[in-house]
Amino acid sequence: MDYGLLGPVTATSDDGTPVALGAPRHREVLARLLVARGRVVPVDRLVADLWEDPPPAGAVGAVRTFVAALRRVLEPDRPARTPSRLLVTEGPGYLLRADRTAVDARRFEDTAEQAAAAAPSAAIPLWDTALGLWRGPALADFPTARWAGAERARLEALRLNAVESRADALIATGSAREAAVALEAHTAAHPWREDGWILLATALDRSGRRGDALAALRTARRILAEELGTDPGPALARAEALILRGPADPATPGGSADGVWARTAAAWDRSVPARAKARLHATASLLRDLAVTGAEGLDEAREHRADLVAEAEATGDPDLAARIIGSYDVPAVWTRADDPQTSAALVRAAARAAATTPRDTGPALRARLLSVIAVESRGDAAADLPPAPASAPPSVEPWRARAAHAADEAVATARRLGDPSLLAFALNGAFMQSFGTCGGATRRDPIGRELVGLGTAHGLPGHELLGRLIRIQALSGQGRFTEADTQAEAADLLADRHERPLARIFTAWYRALRTSETDSWPAAHPLYVTALARTGSSGMPGLADGTEALLRLVPVMREPGTLPVPGLLDGTDPGPYRPWLEPLLLAGRGEPGQARRALDTVPRPPHDLLQEPLWCLLARTASAVGHRPLLRRAIDELTRATAESAGGGSGLFSYGPVMDHLTAAAAALDEA
């Protein structure tokens, strides 16, 4: 069932058929419960909201009649005398169970939040989607209802902000004429909004209509003075001054900060020689900041970082190259590399630079280079050779030993030097190298806790945010969700305050995981749909690729001994997880011989946040087809994670307690 508040109140069945809600009072009860956002509304509150004082004598009975009628139309197929699953009686009142994605007002808010965090070019279609949900004034059926006033005003304020933000994005991407058309209608309808007038003047000026831009600002001054009796704010005066002065570059986006940026960039180009080393240092700093601005910035930073390192090495100055390589201390929380080949190249470049950096005269720089090696050697990104088969005896590969040693030395050096930012970077490397075996959630939580302490004590918001995300993962793996909730709330506040939009993708996954663990998979499913959609456009292919395929297997893996039905993953790309999924799918299709042969050569799972669920997949397949060597190896690996959930430590999803998978594997080994 979908519900509409952004216009007349509506309900629509999942096949798109409008639901006949009946009399106005029925719609009003539905709207009042939707506005409550999943909270119980007591019967006496409903009575007070629906009728002016005093209510009629039979008001309580009438409310119950309205609720009964709504239940019939919202769940027409519900058997008689069975409790409602949607509009439920709870305590002293009623509660409407509506997924967030089922209410147009909530979808509007979520899409607007994504748009606000996106780069201008990506934000425009999101703003269009958000604003397209509006069918008229919010709660249009009840323009004078007291209970609706605050929610109507709140939603309308968000809509007006969305209109202006969309126009701002259009201006920033060179579509000033389109923005001006929308803003002329906007300011006519809402003449008291100073930001609207400033945006209109900016759009007109960028469209070559300077006279109209100045006239718009004069109109704004007059309206504010005559109709509201207030003087315009300083922003209006600044906008007028910028228009009168004229932009240094007409294509440069407007606003005071953008103007400073444009003038400073122009001064830099004029003042710094083209081949100066200062340009390489400045570019390194810019790329580091660009990487945390959102999906587009992360893509750009990743694309240009390797080129910058190559340019630095080409200068023949080993100290310069080392400083450029070691400067990229962008916090990294996901353990599968977005671009393994580039990561491996960066590891090699950092190793070359570290080899020429003296331990005694350049310890801080050497520690930075070692931290790069440790961070970029995540998963199997820096593997010298393909991983051994999963059924082979465990061994420590040389590249992993080098990366772990690099992390240990970097942390020790940073502690000795007492450099908090260096220690934070080194701890990020230690986190990436803490996946040598399964079951490391309890070891990783102290790393996260120390990063949070460093961040709060020394003003390192990026690494404080990293620490909180690490703690969310570690606490989730141990089932300590109340503590993880606290970390998620703090992470969201940090992400908003310091404009780190990608962090909210991880907290969205966590909340879906928590719901699946503490409520049910059906309740979590819509949250996962939202998380997957946001991840797909996050600029983090290491996180996005193949994750949906693993997620679809959650209901299967949480049922002991179950195999996936044929076609379960149709239309889903397993991406990098195909080697571990294919044997299970073969077993599910009734092809045990092919599944066994696939298990003979399947590589061991990567040393990353998803190694426990991947070992569980292998154990399930090996149990089904009687592959004893792989069963023994899977049991050995998973035994280290006995107290954790299979995948919970990723903060994404869980295949249930590891102990359940171990018990099933041990039983299968006895029978094989």
Side-chain angles (χ1 to χ4, degrees):
M1 191 71 66
D2 285 336
Y3 305 96
L5 295 178
L6 303 180
V9 175
T10 61
T12 309
S13 62
D14 57 5
D15 63 0
T17 304
V19 173
L21 294 174
R25 287 298 195 197
H26 299 169
R27 293 198 303 277
E28 189 167 6
V29 170
L30 176 64
R32 180 64 184 86
L33 294 173
L34 286 169
V35 167
R37 295 182 174 224
R39 295 186 295 273
V40 173
V41 181
V43 172
D44 57 358
R45 181 71 264 170
L46 281 170
V47 168
D49 286 339
L50 266 60
W51 286 280
E52 299 288 339
D53 295 332
V60 171
V63 166
R64 291 175 178 153
T65 300
F66 301 156
V67 168
L70 281 172
R71 284 171 170 164
R72 285 194 296 272
V73 298
L74 294 179
E75 295 179 283
D77 299 326
R78 178 168 55 90
R81 291 184 295 280
T82 60
S84 172
R85 293 177 295 105
L86 292 179
L87 206 170
V88 301
T89 302
E90 190 165 310
Y94 300 104
L95 176 150
L96 183 67
R97 288 177 175 162
D99 292 336
R100 187 174 180 86
T101 55
V103 184
D104 61 359
R106 306 293 90 80
R107 293 200 302 275
F108 165 72
E109 293 176 61
D110 291 344
T111 308
E113 180 184 314
Q114 294 177 45
S121 59
I124 292 169
L126 290 171
W127 288 124
D128 288 340
T129 299
L131 290 167
L133 294 170
W134 286 74
R135 298 168 286 107
L139 298 159
D141 313 69
F142 315 107
T144 61
R146 290 175 300 177
W147 62 266
E151 180 69 357
R152 183 187 301 106
R154 187 184 72 85
L155 290 170
E156 178 63 8
L158 292 175
R159 187 187 71 82
L160 295 178
N161 287 336
V163 170
E164 291 168 359
S165 296
R166 175 183 180 274
D168 198 14
L170 287 169
I171 294 169
T173 54
S175 299
R177 293 181 185 276
E178 182 182 348
V181 172
L183 287 165
E184 284 174 329
H186 176 68
T187 52
H190 308 282
W192 60 89
R193 291 184 66 87
E194 190 171 330
D195 285 349
W197 287 107
I198 292 171
L199 285 166
L200 173 59
T202 303
L204 291 169
D205 184 41
R206 301 290 173 76
S207 303
R209 299 165 59 187
R210 180 169 298 183
D212 290 339
L214 294 171
L217 293 176
R218 286 195 296 271
T219 300
R221 289 179 181 278
R222 178 182 56 77
I223 289 174
L224 292 171
E226 295 179 1
E227 298 187 16
L228 296 182
T230 64
D231 292 327
L236 202 72
R238 285 197 301 269
E240 187 173 33
L242 283 171
I243 291 171
L244 288 170
R245 183 170 63 234
D249 178 0
T252 301
S256 58
D258 292 326
V260 172
W261 170 272
R263 294 193 297 276
T264 303
W268 173 268
D269 279 335
R270 290 193 304 269
S271 306
V272 180
R275 297 185 180 277
K277 294 177 181 179
R279 285 183 177 260
L280 292 175
H281 284 294
T283 303
S285 179
L286 188 61
L287 288 179
R288 183 179 58 205
D289 292 340
L290 183 63
V292 299
T293 59
E296 290 194 11
L298 181 59
D299 273 338
E300 294 284 350
R302 186 165 52 241
E303 178 182 348
H304 300 303
R305 181 185 173 197
D307 292 339
L308 177 65
V309 169
E311 288 293 328
E313 289 190 307
T315 65
D317 183 338
D319 183 70
L320 171 66
R323 293 185 185 282
I324 294 298
I325 295 167
S327 67
Y328 196 83
D329 56 355
V330 176
V333 69
W334 191 244
T335 49
R336 177 177 283 275
D338 292 321
D339 184 345
Q341 290 185 335
T342 298
S343 290
L346 289 166
V347 168
R348 292 192 293 270
R352 288 193 297 269
T356 63
T357 302
R359 292 174 181 266
D360 52 349
T361 60
L365 179 56
R366 177 178 171 80
R368 284 191 165 275
L369 293 166
L370 294 175
S371 297
V372 171
I373 293 172
V375 170
E376 296 298 339
S377 296
R378 65 187 85 177
D380 286 339
D384 298 320
L385 298 171
S391 56
S395 63
V396 178
E397 295 125 311
W399 69 269
R400 277 200 55 245
R402 290 194 298 270
H405 178 74
D408 292 342
E409 183 183 335
V411 170
T413 300
R415 292 196 193 284
R416 187 176 71 251
L417 296 176
D419 184 332
S421 63
L422 179 60
L423 178 57
F425 189 18
L427 287 171
N428 198 167
F431 165 71
M432 288 296 179
Q433 294 308 312
S434 65
F435 296 89
T437 64
C438 292
T442 55
R443 298 193 303 272
R444 289 190 283 277
D445 191 37
I447 296 175
R449 193 180 298 113
E450 185 170 7
L451 281 165
V452 171
L454 285 169
T456 55
H458 300 283
L460 304 171
H463 283 95
E464 179 189 351
L465 186 54
L466 169 65
R468 296 196 183 278
L469 295 177
I470 290 173
R471 294 209 68 199
I472 290 170
Q473 296 169 345
L475 293 167
S476 297
Q478 302 170 72
R480 296 159 60 186
F481 292 112
T482 301
E483 296 170 78
D485 287 344
T486 301
Q487 298 302 317
E489 291 169 7
D492 284 344
L493 289 173
L494 274 170
D496 292 344
R497 186 182 310 136
H498 298 284
E499 298 180 324
R500 305 293 175 97
L502 296 178
R504 275 192 170 269
I505 292 174
F506 291 98
T507 56
W509 275 101
Y510 162 71
R511 290 189 174 93
L513 164 65
R514 192 205 200 290
T515 302
S516 71
E517 292 287 272
T518 59
D519 190 341
S520 66
W521 174 253
H525 188 260
L527 300 179
Y528 274 125
V529 170
T530 300
L532 279 168
R534 296 178 67 178
T535 304
S537 59
S538 68
M540 295 184 285
L543 174 62
D545 292 350
T547 309
E548 183 179 359
L550 296 177
L551 185 63
R552 285 196 187 185
L553 287 168
V554 168
V556 174
M557 294 300 293
R558 293 184 77 96
E559 289 293 328
T562 304
L563 295 175
V565 298
L568 176 65
L569 300 188
D570 285 356
T572 303
D573 182 6
Y577 304 108
R578 184 180 297 277
W580 301 281
L581 291 176
E582 190 61 32
L584 182 67
L585 298 178
L586 288 169
R589 292 199 295 265
E591 301 177 32
Q594 291 193 46
R596 278 186 59 85
R597 287 190 289 275
L599 290 179
D600 287 338
T601 57
V602 67
R604 58 131 183 90
H607 297 288
D608 61 22
L609 279 161
L610 292 177
Q611 59 183 324
E612 289 92 356
L614 292 180
W615 277 113
C616 288
L617 289 174
L618 294 179
R620 178 69 59 88
T621 311
S623 297
V625 302
H627 197 295
R628 290 178 60 84
L630 187 49
L631 260 177
R632 283 193 292 266
R633 174 73 189 277
I635 290 171
D636 289 344
E637 293 292 335
L638 290 171
T639 297
R640 300 181 176 91
T642 301
E644 298 181 16
S645 71
S650 68
L652 304 188
F653 60 84
S654 169
Y655 288 163
V658 168
M659 178 57 78
D660 291 352
H661 294 274
L662 278 170
T663 301
L669 188 61
D670 290 340
E671 295 172 1

